[in-house]
Amino acid sequence: LAIVGLEDLAPFDMGTSFDAELVAIMCDYGLDSSDALVLLEARRVPLDAIATFDPDMRRAAADFTVYTWS
């Protein structure tokens, strides 16, 4: 479990907006916006593993270690 504040999040790459990053993650992994937002914030911390009950998040296994229980 990681509890972070805004000061702990890495900035976006120069010239990239929040919206563009979110849409890119949605397209890369075929996720809805709420799942993509989780991964976007995980990248900014940065985290390399996530634990979830959502089996859709397995689609991100190429870039994250994904632990699921379903």
Side-chain angles (χ1 to χ4, degrees), residues 22 25-26 28-43 47-70:
L22 186 63
I25 291 171
M26 290 170 63
D28 288 348
Y29 303 118
L31 295 172
D32 62 28
S33 59
S34 60
D35 289 343
L37 182 59
V38 170
L39 295 182
L40 176 64
E41 297 303 320
R43 282 183 178 175
L47 296 175
D48 61 359
I50 56 173
T52 179
F53 287 107
D54 185 349
D56 291 341
M57 296 297 265
R58 290 185 194 139
R59 297 178 195 156
D63 296 312
F64 295 90
T65 302
V66 181
Y67 300 97
T68 60
W69 288 267
S70 56

